[in-house]
Amino acid sequence: MSGGGHGAAVRPGERVIGPLDRLAPEAKLVGLLGFLLVVAVTPPGRSSILGAQAAVALSVAGVAAVEPRALLRRFALDLPLLFLALTYAVAGRGPRTSVLGASLSTTGLQVGLTMVAKATIGIIAVSALAASTSVSEMVTGLRRLGFPRWFVDLVGLSARQAGVLGADVERLRLAASVRLGGRGRWAEWTAVARALGVCFVRATERVDRLQLAAQARGGSTLGAVVVAGPTITTATLGAWVLAALPAVAALAGRLLL
Amino acid sequence: MHIPDGWVDLPTSAAAAAAAVLAVGVAGRRMASRLVERATTLPAVLAAYLLVAQMPALPLGVGTSAHLIGTGLATALVGPAIAIVCVATVVVVQALVLADGGVTALGLNLLANGPAPALAAAAVLWAGRRWAQGAPRRVPLLAGVAAAVATIVAAAATAGLLVVGGTDVIPPGTVAAVIGGAHLVVALGEGVLTAAVIGVVARLRPNLLIHATASSTHAEPAPGR
């Protein structure tokens, strides 16, 4: 799955097949979790370790052919976190240093910067997974890892429906704002509210249509809604080892640096 | 705001994950007993709707923008049980596909954005059900208040988890004040937008809104029950 920001990632048919795409999804998911766990327990202020871990994440993202623009757009998610990190620096306890004329807490600054670094590494790592794994692969991986079937079905179906509803909302919003004419804040809010209200009504109609299609296929119970796509590779020992490499590299960085 | 990776320590994250699995499991069970037929399609489409509802960025002024969060809206539309399941779906998609919110922090974000605000919104809706009954104009208002309260509760839960599992380098009160203060504005926007959306739905299909004023978590009149 490629593409960026909120919802936009759910765009089928746009995919660069890289070496990471052929790895079994359950191995990739566990590998990602392992890597992020190692990153999470890195003590604050150890910038060389965090730098090495960021390099690991970036190289995996490179192998996964993550679009740089999509990555940059996702870094916008860091903005509120930066604000919070700044609070740590300003209001932190302990000895203070002067940075550009502002008095900041040394440990607060350290902790804040570490938190932003970890959040950024997380965004890069997840982008690598998302760019190399389709929704049905992701869902199959979660299923193989023991997530309950009903929940996994929900995730798969909703990720696909988000693309459809997203396009619908954009059209409705455009139509509403053209009719409202105004350019002010009020007009924009009204347009969004109208689009979302109409979209909800249409969504309930969509539920009925999907249900009808599911019944036509001969099942109305759980699990009959999401059909399996082309066979998705099961993890071999080699796949597990390969997927564990980023976590191992991150751990090696922790122990050596 | 979603908690990213590495902000909260692992014991707290693991405990939150266990609590989240429990809460979503209970909500899923309740949902399955209510939605006999559409137990996958309805929550899946609603979760997709919530994902989409977060997309349009709205100008707040001074260069900042906000977007809908949606737990309160979902609770007003379909009741807390289905809302919790839908929000859980949304949070998982956001963490694994959109890189919004940490993977190791999944349990924290599930807990802070699902059960906590959904139950708060449900409590507000329940408390105001008499006031809104038979007065269709009051339903959107009540839903708006519920959504605003839900947003504050979600922010408070996030701040609480950051304090419990975070560092002690900063006084807990400051974390709560910063996150809470920032979300007061967000909560106001959330309330206004939720009220407006519910108003539109009430105008178009009032029969879809029985849940906003119904006292129970019924999402549809279960056939044959």
Side-chain angles (χ1 to χ4, degrees):
Chain A
M1 213 162 151
S2 56
H6 267 110
V10 198
R11 228 183 286 138
E14 276 185 28
R15 192 169 162 200
V16 191
I17 300 288
L20 224 57
D21 293 65
R22 286 185 274 275
L23 208 55
E26 63 271 32
K28 278 188 277 190
L29 280 163
V30 173
L32 173 77
L33 183 66
F35 173 72
L36 290 175
L37 283 175
V38 175
V39 173
V41 295
T42 303
R46 304 290 297 275
S47 46
S48 54
I49 300 178
L50 287 168
Q53 290 169 343
V56 171
L58 276 174
S59 4
V60 178
V63 174
V66 174
E67 288 169 52
R69 239 194 293 161
L71 204 55
L72 284 179
R73 230 177 311 149
R74 282 176 181 161
F75 285 149
L77 297 169
D78 260 356
L79 289 177
L81 310 177
L82 266 174
F83 177 70
L84 201 58
L86 191 70
T87 313
Y88 277 66
V90 171
R93 298 192 176 105
R96 306 188 75 83
T97 50
S98 175
V99 179
L100 299 171
S103 163
L104 300 176
S105 146
T106 322
T107 33
L109 185 64
Q110 216 171 52
V111 167
L113 287 176
T114 305
M115 286 164 94
V116 172
K118 287 179 178 178
T120 310
I121 293 172
I123 291 175
I124 300 170
V126 172
S127 299
L129 174 79
S132 63
T133 315
S134 72
V135 167
S136 43
E137 285 165 351
M138 195 95 79
V139 160
T140 308
L142 290 174
R143 177 81 196 95
R144 288 177 186 163
L145 291 173
F147 274 66
R149 173 98 202 213
W150 66 271
F151 187 70
V152 158
D153 278 352
L154 271 183
V155 172
L157 188 57
S158 71
R160 269 184 280 142
Q161 292 297 314
V164 180
L165 293 186
D168 211 26
V169 160
E170 247 345 281
R171 272 197 300 276
L172 286 167
R173 185 197 187 182
L174 187 65
S177 58
V178 167
R179 291 215 169 79
L180 286 160
R183 283 183 46 111
R185 215 175 297 169
W186 179 248
E188 280 193 61
W189 281 67
T190 315
V192 169
R194 225 176 258 180
L196 288 180
V198 172
C199 184
F200 175 73
V201 174
R202 289 192 186 171
T204 60
E205 288 160 4
R206 254 200 107 61
V207 172
D208 294 337
R209 281 165 55 186
L210 287 170
Q211 194 58 44
L212 203 65
Q215 277 167 352
R217 285 195 300 270
S220 62
T221 48
L222 283 178
V225 175
V226 177
V227 283
T231 41
I232 292 158
T233 46
T234 322
T236 55
L237 183 64
W240 288 111
V241 171
L242 206 60
L245 280 181
V248 172
L251 197 62
R254 167 82 190 273
L255 298 175
L256 298 177
L257 291 170
Chain B
M1 192 200 101
H2 284 332
I3 300 175
D5 283 300
W7 282 42
V8 172
D9 64 18
L10 295 185
T12 312
S13 304
V21 166
L22 195 71
V24 176
V26 169
R29 211 156 260 236
R30 267 185 95 86
M31 179 187 82
S33 69
R34 296 265 144 73
L35 301 174
V36 186
E37 281 215 311
R38 306 181 293 170
T40 301
T41 46
L42 187 137
V45 172
L46 195 68
Y49 176 75
L50 290 183
L51 272 169
V52 164
Q54 301 193 343
M55 275 162 34
L58 286 161
L60 272 181
V62 284
T64 53
S65 65
H67 65 77
L68 197 70
I69 298 164
T71 309
L73 178 65
T75 307
L77 289 171
V78 293
I82 302 177
I84 288 170
V85 174
C86 290
V87 172
T89 310
V90 167
V91 172
V92 168
V93 171
Q94 282 173 331
L96 292 180
V97 179
L98 306 176
D100 187 5
V103 175
T104 57
L106 204 47
L108 303 162
N109 289 322
L110 281 172
L111 214 53
N113 293 292
L119 291 176
V124 172
L125 292 170
W126 185 80
R129 72 196 185 286
R130 288 258 162 77
W131 178 73
Q133 217 155 41
R137 281 168 174 277
R138 288 179 175 175
V139 174
L141 265 176
L142 182 62
V145 173
V149 170
T151 307
I152 299 286
V153 169
T158 302
L161 290 168
L162 276 177
V163 166
V164 169
T167 74
D168 57 352
V169 74
I170 179 168
T174 315
V175 178
V178 167
I179 294 183
H183 279 84
L184 280 179
V185 186
V186 178
L188 192 67
E190 181 87 7
V192 170
L193 195 56
T194 301
V197 173
I198 296 280
V200 173
V201 177
R203 207 150 39 91
L204 297 174
R205 296 278 190 282
N207 58 322
L208 288 177
L209 278 183
I210 45 167
H211 330 290
T213 46
S215 55
S216 73
T217 54
H218 274 273
E220 60 176 352
R225 265 166 199 257

